[in-house]
Amino acid sequence: MKRSTPWLLLLALTLASLSLHARAGEGGSAPELVAGELSAVVSISGLRQPPATATTAVAGTPATGTTGTTASAITTPGGIGAVRSSEPRATRVLGSGFIIDSSGVIVTNRHVVEGTTDILVTLQDNTLLRATLLAQSDQIDMALLKVVSASRLPSVRFGDSDALRVADRVLAIGSPLGLGGTVTQGIVSALNRDIRDSPFDDYIQTDAAINHGNSGGPLFNMQGEVIGMNTAIFAPMTSGSIGLGFAIPSNDIKFVADALRNGGGMRAGTLDFRIQQVTPGLADALNMPKAEGVIVGGTKDGGGAAKCGIVAGDIILRYGTMDVKDVRALARAIARTSPGTVVNLLVWHNEEPTVIAATVQELPPSASPASNIPALAASPADPGWNLAPIDDSTRRRLGLGRDQTGVLVTQITAERAAADAGLSPGDVVVEVQQEKVAVPEDVARLVAAALQQQRRYVALLVHNADGLRWLALSLD
């Protein structure tokens, strides 16, 4: 048998070691990481007055009974279970946080401290400090606290959450059920998750165990950098972690924290329009080369989009230098743009690309990017409907406004294209193929024209109780 030379054996062992190290993830070992970063993680408690009802929740039971890492409410020393009292009592709400500035600035979730008084912060050495609320964001679940310490405090380092990959190893540190300094390990399960918490959702999903009381705590990569803030879980009503945890990305945390520190509030940008994803059906109906970008469903009078000439049916393909891939990515990009900034948008308008300069306006603190603008949706289908013109008696019967225009849907046949598209009796078809309609004959004419053009779908702008929405009606 041929004998290996010593240097070949050494090379093989070295390569094997490097391979194992790569599979384990770059950076230091978990114990080394925890030893270096644990001191910057804190426990937070606040006094919250009870709601009008007399039943309160205690440690281990979500106060709302729904998903989310709502802070654990403790009503009895060490009590576990439900407590009923004839007289509602204030509760101590528990959560987590981490120090982002050695002067004593701490970031946590807004839902941990919102509506609380007497906020206390416990450091890892059990030092107890009283905290003041510096600011909180209305648009994202974040708040900043400030503590005063006799010495400078350890602070975390931020990593680049955009560099995260699915299956990267992560560590979560926090105070589940008040147990400070608890460390759990997992991986990044998915990125850019939408849990419908805000229009900007971009959550990191992880299977690291996150329980009630972890809210506001950091999610670390294996380099000891914060790449997220643990915020929510999906779990049965009375259960803890089942491996579905969600964290706000570090790049969002840095942006919002800087905005809150520099003015006590977040000046988010807005263009005041409603947008939805372009589906293959809508792309076909609007004669686009491929399904890309987001389609405008409505604009607010006097808003940035309306002022620059953007109308319902326009498709935003690029925002500045960013190709628009989904609705939430565009919403985040606009929110991060300083109000007053002029941004060039590449828009698919009248079946051709056009560059439009739009001035970003400031989003009111209590509003979402889509406030007071009709809502949207999308799906594919084909006729199976009865239509009627709108007259005064119809307006009165259905509670429609005097200026409501369009054609009324009076009946829908089940399992036909109109039903599949999401149309319902009482809906009003306002536009077909971006042309306004007033009588059923207008709809029939435009649908026939689309068939002659061998289109597979026709675009409908529909109004109902939820507002305006785009639907793609299949003609196959």
Side-chain angles (χ1 to χ4, degrees):
M1 184 175 68
K2 193 172 182 179
R3 185 174 296 177
S4 299
T5 60
W7 68 269
L8 284 176
L9 181 60
L10 179 61
L11 177 61
L13 289 172
T14 302
L15 290 174
S17 175
L18 289 174
S19 176
L20 286 171
H21 181 74
R23 286 196 294 268
E26 298 179 358
S29 68
E32 291 171 345
L33 186 157
V34 171
E37 305 301 332
L38 190 61
S39 59
V41 183
V42 303
S43 299
I44 298 171
S45 70
L47 197 62
R48 179 171 291 159
Q49 295 302 317
T53 57
T55 301
T56 58
V58 299
T61 305
T64 61
T66 59
T67 59
T69 53
T70 52
S72 308
I74 299 178
T75 53
T76 58
I80 302 293
V83 173
R84 295 183 181 273
S85 171
S86 59
E87 296 183 5
R89 301 164 61 184
T91 58
R92 268 282 164 195
V93 179
L94 304 181
S96 306
F98 50 99
I99 303 167
I100 62 172
D101 189 289
S102 57
S103 65
V105 180
I106 296 168
V107 67
T108 187
N109 285 133
R110 182 187 65 238
H111 74 253
V112 171
V113 296
E114 191 170 34
T116 64
T117 58
D118 191 31
I119 302 173
L120 300 176
V121 168
T122 305
L123 307 182
Q124 288 301 321
D125 63 2
N126 289 323
T127 299
L128 191 65
L129 301 173
R130 194 169 300 280
T132 56
L133 179 63
L134 285 183
Q136 61 185 21
S137 170
D138 292 314
Q139 286 84 24
I140 191 169
D141 192 357
M142 276 182 56
L144 291 183
L145 304 177
K146 181 70 166 67
V147 295
V148 177
S149 173
S151 58
R152 295 185 70 79
L153 299 172
S155 59
V156 301
R157 295 175 294 122
F158 281 107
D160 181 8
S161 54
D162 289 342
L164 276 178
R165 301 168 302 173
V166 173
D168 277 346
R169 291 170 58 202
V170 290
L171 294 177
I173 304 181
S175 304
L177 307 182
L179 301 173
T182 297
V183 181
T184 57
Q185 184 171 355
I187 63 169
V188 173
S189 304
L191 298 167
N192 193 31
R193 283 298 197 203
D194 179 10
I195 63 172
R196 303 187 183 279
D197 183 53
S198 80
F200 315 111
D201 279 7
D202 183 26
Y203 281 94
I204 301 164
Q205 181 182 331
T206 180
D207 67 349
I210 298 173
N211 289 286
H212 308 296
N214 271 113
S215 287
L219 188 69
F220 286 98
N221 61 20
M222 298 311 292
Q223 287 76 43
E225 301 167 329
V226 171
I227 47 84
M229 177 165 61
N230 304 316
T231 299
I233 59 173
F234 282 177
M237 184 179 299
T238 59
S239 173
S241 174
I242 58 171
L244 293 173
F246 300 88
I248 298 172
S250 58
N251 290 351
D252 293 349
I253 298 170
K254 289 186 290 184
F255 171 76
V256 175
D258 288 344
L260 294 176
R261 293 179 70 180
N262 292 332
M266 179 179 164
R267 297 186 67 224
T270 182
L271 285 177
D272 282 320
F273 55 14
R274 283 278 188 181
I275 51 179
Q276 71 185 73
Q277 202 69 37
V278 173
T279 64
L282 286 174
D284 180 87
L286 300 174
N287 201 28
M288 294 182 66
K290 61 180 180 179
E292 60 179 335
V294 299
I295 187 169
V296 177
T299 61
K300 182 179 179 180
D301 292 340
K307 283 184 175 180
C308 71
I310 292 175
V311 297
D314 283 349
I315 295 171
I316 313 299
L317 301 173
R318 186 180 304 140
Y319 179 82
T321 59
M322 183 193 79
D323 291 334
V324 177
K325 298 186 182 299
D326 64 70
V327 169
R328 289 174 292 115
L330 178 57
R332 288 192 299 273
I334 296 172
R336 290 178 177 178
T337 304
S338 299
T341 303
V342 178
V343 180
N344 287 329
L345 280 68
L346 180 62
V347 179
W348 184 263
H349 179 79
N350 290 334
E351 299 192 0
E352 62 180 10
T354 304
V355 176
I356 296 177
T359 301
V360 176
Q361 298 183 340
E362 183 173 355
L363 180 69
S366 60
S368 72
S371 62
N372 302 319
I373 308 170
L376 309 167
S379 58
D382 186 49
W385 56 15
N386 288 347
L387 304 176
I390 297 176
D391 54 25
D392 289 341
S393 63
T394 303
R395 289 189 176 90
R396 288 193 297 271
R397 179 167 54 85
L398 298 178
L400 301 176
R402 296 180 59 184
D403 57 350
Q404 177 69 67
T405 60
V407 176
L408 179 68
V409 178
T410 60
Q411 185 175 342
I412 292 292
T413 303
E415 299 182 1
R416 294 285 300 278
D420 293 341
L423 286 162
S424 301
D427 287 350
V428 176
V429 179
V430 180
E431 292 183 13
V432 176
Q433 291 296 93
Q434 299 179 297
E435 287 191 31
K436 292 186 181 299
V437 293
V439 293
E441 289 77 12
D442 292 339
V443 177
R445 173 177 54 82
L446 292 168
V447 170
L451 284 168
Q452 289 181 350
Q453 296 168 8
Q454 297 185 331
R455 296 212 179 282
R456 297 178 57 234
Y457 294 90
V458 63
L460 307 178
L461 185 60
V462 179
H463 187 275
N464 62 14
D466 294 325
L468 286 171
R469 57 179 179 162
W470 282 102
L471 299 177
L473 180 69
S474 175
L475 302 182
D476 290 341

